Amino acid sequence: METINQIFIYFFQPNPSRLFQYAIPLWILTAMLIAAAVFIIVRIRASKNDKSFKKTFRSYPTRLITAAVLLALYLLSRGSAVPFFSMRLMLFVVLGITGYLIYRLMKAYTREYPEEKKLRHDREELNKYIPRKKRK
């Protein structure tokens, strides 16, 4: 029973110790998330012909920036020792959300984007042979 109590205290302690060894890697992860969001925005604006990329990755920049902001808020609250916002459970929740987002981004890039690109190309090929309206 004591071990279960210690586990709960570890995760739900409202104000953990100031010793936090993962601040620098988490700041790097935050910067990488923002850089990925900026890269996707630039790529969407630059490639106007690739509509399948725009359709597939339209919602990811805001999600990446949101995850980066949540991670930065956690790091700032952990450094300032703000109770309840600097809980270890918050770190695991934010890292879980970020991991899931990165998984979805990789899945979209490796599976959904090629399928959408092929489907759009096939539709364009079929639309070549559809008769157009004649101008008067």
Side-chain angles (χ1 to χ4, degrees):
M1 193 65 175
E2 185 63 29
T3 14
I4 296 173
N5 190 22
Q6 290 298 324
I7 290 172
F8 278 123
I9 287 174
Y10 179 78
F11 284 116
F12 294 105
Q13 186 177 9
N15 201 359
S17 66
R18 285 219 178 238
L19 181 63
F20 188 58
Q21 300 170 349
Y22 304 110
I24 293 173
L26 290 177
W27 280 115
I28 292 171
L29 177 64
T30 304
M32 287 173 52
L33 290 173
I34 292 173
V38 168
F39 175 75
I40 291 173
I41 290 171
V42 168
R43 174 100 190 264
I44 285 173
R45 289 186 182 168
S47 60
K48 299 208 185 272
N49 295 338
D50 195 4
K51 293 181 182 177
S52 56
F53 186 84
K54 183 177 181 178
K55 182 182 176 191
T56 306
F57 294 101
R58 183 180 325 148
S59 63
Y60 283 105
T62 55
R63 291 177 184 175
L64 288 170
I65 290 172
T66 303
V69 166
L70 287 175
L71 198 56
L73 284 175
Y74 173 77
L75 288 169
L76 291 173
S77 66
R78 182 71 187 251
S80 301
V82 177
F84 296 107
F85 288 115
S86 60
M87 275 194 305
R88 288 184 182 101
L89 181 69
M90 292 293 190
L91 173 65
F92 294 125
V93 168
V94 170
L95 286 179
I97 291 170
T98 305
Y100 179 70
L101 181 61
I102 291 172
Y103 165 74
R104 289 285 311 239
L105 187 65
M106 290 298 153
K107 182 181 172 187
Y109 186 73
T110 57
R111 292 185 188 159
E112 295 170 12
Y113 174 59
E115 289 174 4
E116 179 69 29
K117 194 172 184 178
K118 184 179 182 309
L119 183 68
R120 187 170 290 275
H121 178 70
D122 292 344
R123 253 188 276 140
E124 287 176 359
E125 286 295 319
L126 289 175
N127 287 344
K128 281 183 185 177
Y129 303 109
I130 294 177
R132 303 281 183 223
K133 263 187 163 177
K134 294 185 180 180
R135 293 188 177 205
K136 293 181 181 182

